[in-house]
Amino acid sequence: MDDTPIKIWRLAERSFVEFQITEQEKTRSAQPIPKDGTTWFPPPRGMLKVNVDASFNKTSKKAAVAAISSSASSAKAFAIRFGMTFAIKNGLSNVIFESDCLDVVNRIKSKIFSAWESASIEEDILNILLSYQSFSLVYASRICNGPAYWVAKGTLVECCPCDWATFVPQDLKLLL
């Protein structure tokens, strides 16, 4: 048997975390959808939505967006900027970026960058929004941003399959 105890432990840990994420999603999906405008809607005709999210581990300061971050707020801002950079590199236009971090979205929209740990990233996002008139940024509740959360959280705990975009896992399909 060439599996070391550490490999077996990591596999068991990943399976447990994946189970926890699935159970959380079941609980979340069983709850009634709020009637305060937090329901996800498809983008208007001719527009594209890119839902962005990040998962942040307070202990390790590691974010699932392949960055080390000092706070969840800066990880969320980094996820938005990452999504925008992806759109620019791929020549996308008419894109609505959705994030479940209301604080970050509000700071960018108000142009008041009061959170020192994410201020420079938020200013970059504002500059991108000003440069690309066909981009917009809006708040989406965690319920509406479930697929992006699933991928970010799964990546953070190293249980998201590398080929998730090509072969969509059943748990993720349920959120789409």
Side-chain angles (χ1 to χ4, degrees), residues 56 60-63 67-76 78 117:
F56 181 75
S60 69
K61 304 281 190 229
K62 185 177 177 184
I68 303 300
S69 181
S70 60
S71 71
S73 182
S74 60
K76 299 281 188 171
F78 185 81
E117 71 275 6

Side-chain angles (χ1 to χ4, degrees), residues 2 5 50 84:
D2 60 328
V50 175
M84 290 179 166

Side-chain angles (χ1 to χ4, degrees), residues 11 16 29 44 63 67 74 81 86 93 97 113 117 121 135 154 164 168:
L11 179 62
F16 178 71
S29 64
S74 60
R81 187 176 67 184
F86 174 84
S93 60
F97 296 91
F113 308 112
E117 71 275 6
I121 301 168
F135 285 4
W164 67 267
V168 181

Side-chain angles (χ1 to χ4, degrees), residues 48-52 79-97 128-129 132 134-136:
L48 174 71
K49 277 191 179 182
V50 175
N51 292 67
V52 296
I80 295 167
R81 187 176 67 184
F82 180 82
M84 290 179 166
T85 303
F86 174 84
I88 292 166
K89 286 183 179 179
N90 287 283
L92 303 176
S93 60
N94 298 327
V95 182
I96 300 167
F97 296 91
I128 292 169
L129 288 170
Y132 293 84
S134 68
F135 285 4
S136 63

Side-chain angles (χ1 to χ4, degrees), residues 9-149:
W9 173 258
R10 287 186 180 151
L11 179 62
E13 185 178 42
R14 287 180 193 152
S15 297
F16 178 71
V17 170
E18 188 174 41
F19 170 78
Q20 285 181 313
I21 292 170
T22 302
E23 290 302 306
Q24 288 173 354
E25 295 304 328
K26 284 181 188 175
T27 303
R28 190 179 323 159
S29 64
Q31 297 172 351
I33 296 175
K35 304 215 185 304
D36 61 356
T38 58
T39 303
W40 185 89
F41 293 99
R45 183 175 217 96
M47 298 291 283
L48 174 71
K49 277 191 179 182
V50 175
N51 292 67
V52 296
D53 200 359
S55 188
F56 181 75
N57 183 310
K58 290 179 185 176
T59 305
S60 69
K61 304 281 190 229
K62 185 177 177 184
V65 193
I68 303 300
S69 181
S70 60
S71 71
S73 182
S74 60
K76 299 281 188 171
F78 185 81
I80 295 167
R81 187 176 67 184
F82 180 82
M84 290 179 166
T85 303
F86 174 84
I88 292 166
K89 286 183 179 179
N90 287 283
L92 303 176
S93 60
N94 298 327
V95 182
I96 300 167
F97 296 91
E98 291 186 333
S99 172
D100 64 8
C101 190
L102 184 60
D103 291 343
V104 170
V105 172
N106 283 342
R107 284 194 299 268
I108 292 166
K109 289 183 175 232
S110 69
K111 302 176 186 173
I112 299 173
F113 308 112
S114 57
W116 67 268
E117 71 275 6
S118 60
S120 62
I121 301 168
E122 292 168 7
E123 286 182 58
D124 284 350
I125 294 166
L126 178 62
N127 288 330
I128 292 169
L129 288 170
L130 294 173
S131 299
Y132 293 84
Q133 298 296 318
S134 68
F135 285 4
S136 63
L137 174 64
V138 297
Y139 168 75
S141 70
R142 173 69 60 84
I143 293 169
C144 297
N145 215 26
Y149 173 77

Side-chain angles (χ1 to χ4, degrees), residues 62 64-66 150-160 164:
K62 185 177 177 184
V65 193
W150 188 94
V151 172
K153 188 69 170 178
T155 301
L156 180 66
V157 297
E158 299 176 357
C159 71
C160 187
W164 67 267

